[in-house]
Amino acid sequence: MEALTGWDAQIWLTLQAKWDLWHVMKARGSRPKAAATTGRASSIAIADYAEIRENAAIVPIGNTTWARVKTVRSIVSIADVFTGNVVSRAGVELIDGTPGYLSTRLKVVRGGRVMDVEISADTSPRVVSSYVWKLDPSFTTVLPADQRLSRVALEALARRYFHSLSTHHAVLADFETNCNRYHSGQQITNLAGNTVEGGPPRTCAGSLEGTPPWGPATEQRFPVIDPERGLVFAVTLLHYLQAPTPSQMYVSEVFKVVGGRIVRIDNIGVMMKGVSSLGFVH
């Protein structure tokens, strides 16, 4: 795609999200309003009462990490017409040439106005450019009908996963044998020596068990569920209570579910201190 810079990148992402939502509505037989696909800043209608947060902190729309984006290298978007939410995962090159991984959720309400802007931004050295700059398009592949779960079943599966973060007991039947979890592009499972969790190679299920330093997982939300593609976008506030100074991880995950089992988990996990809420409680 054409290189986009600075505020142009934020504009493009918003228009792309609205366009994705329009297509989902059209495909499901709804009568979509005219999509905001022409024009530039004037096409973006952010509600006066919109809640705008990056890594849980309230920020002005012009002061997000998107203002430091030099180029959008790769992007994957999913939309949910039932909730009005759209999520884009974008692998970006920042102005200083380093990679970043940005997850942006937009809540689009009647009239095409954006009510929520929720950004999870990882610009740490742990971001793997070879992954985020070339996101796998198969992640959003439409599944055969016999490989899909219902919305209710997909949400239940994701809820069980987050419950396991608190109890440290995984539901083995929820995971495909070759499932892998990635943190900003770094493979965590079935591989030794990762810099996020360390330890010996473990499976997606096995990495939830034992005596990990995290738990409980609170403020669980599931804004986007796409049964056709077997995708669930979910967020939670994961607490680390064992350290001398408690900390929190803002977990922003996309689950790929095929045949009723998780085959891939794409996570952006941002460590924070002193955070009691991710917001968006309305």
Side-chain angles (χ1 to χ4, degrees), residues 31-48:
R31 183 179 178 183
K33 296 181 180 296
T37 56
T38 58
R40 297 180 64 78
S42 60
S43 297
I44 301 175
I46 297 179
D48 294 337

Side-chain angles (χ1 to χ4, degrees), residues 55-57 219 237 239 246-248 250 272-279:
N55 295 346
E219 294 194 35
L237 183 62
H239 297 266
S247 58
Q248 304 79 38
Y250 177 14
M272 307 176 294
K273 290 185 181 296
V275 175
S276 59
S277 175
L278 296 176

Side-chain angles (χ1 to χ4, degrees), residues 32-260:
K33 296 181 180 296
T37 56
T38 58
R40 297 180 64 78
S42 60
S43 297
I44 301 175
I46 297 179
D48 294 337
Y49 52 88
E51 186 171 351
I52 304 167
R53 292 178 181 262
E54 177 173 296
N55 295 346
I58 294 177
V59 294
I61 189 64
N63 288 355
T64 72
T65 299
W66 279 103
R68 298 192 288 118
V69 169
K70 176 183 178 182
T71 306
V72 177
R73 291 291 195 100
S74 183
I75 196 164
V76 172
S77 300
I78 56 176
D80 189 331
V81 67
F82 295 102
T83 66
N85 284 287
V86 181
V87 173
S88 290
R89 310 285 267 201
V92 303
E93 180 182 351
L94 302 174
I95 292 174
D96 63 3
T98 59
Y101 199 25
L102 309 183
S103 178
T104 303
R105 177 185 66 84
L106 303 176
K107 170 75 171 180
V108 184
V109 297
R110 181 170 297 181
R113 302 184 73 81
V114 175
M115 186 173 73
D116 292 352
V117 180
E118 180 177 15
I119 300 171
S120 175
D122 188 357
T123 58
S124 73
R126 294 191 305 196
V127 178
V128 179
S129 60
S130 59
Y131 178 100
V132 304
W133 284 356
K134 195 174 182 180
L135 295 172
D136 187 352
S138 68
F139 207 75
T140 55
T141 299
V142 174
L143 301 178
D146 62 352
Q147 294 292 301
R148 302 175 190 175
L149 290 181
S150 67
R151 289 180 62 87
V152 172
L154 284 169
E155 181 176 336
L157 188 152
R159 286 188 180 277
R160 289 195 297 272
Y161 181 91
F162 279 170
H163 185 64
S164 295
L165 291 177
S166 297
T167 65
H168 306 152
H169 294 289
V171 180
L172 298 180
D174 284 345
F175 300 91
E176 187 61 54
T177 303
N178 61 352
C179 168
N180 272 312
R181 174 163 52 95
Y182 297 83
H183 280 225
S184 295
Q186 182 172 168
Q187 185 173 331
I188 304 302
T189 50
N190 302 306
L191 184 71
N194 74 81
T195 63
V196 177
E197 296 176 6
R202 291 179 292 178
T203 63
C204 285
S207 65
L208 298 173
E209 300 189 317
T211 57
W214 59 72
T218 62
E219 294 194 35
Q220 300 173 14
R221 289 184 280 116
F222 307 89
V224 175
I225 300 175
D226 184 344
E228 292 181 348
R229 292 168 177 78
L231 296 175
V232 181
F233 168 71
V235 298
T236 187
L237 183 62
L238 186 59
H239 297 266
Y240 288 67
L241 301 178
Q242 298 181 16
T245 303
S247 58
Q248 304 79 38
M249 177 185 283
Y250 177 14
V251 175
S252 170
E253 291 188 303
V254 178
F255 300 92
K256 180 71 172 183
V257 181
V258 180

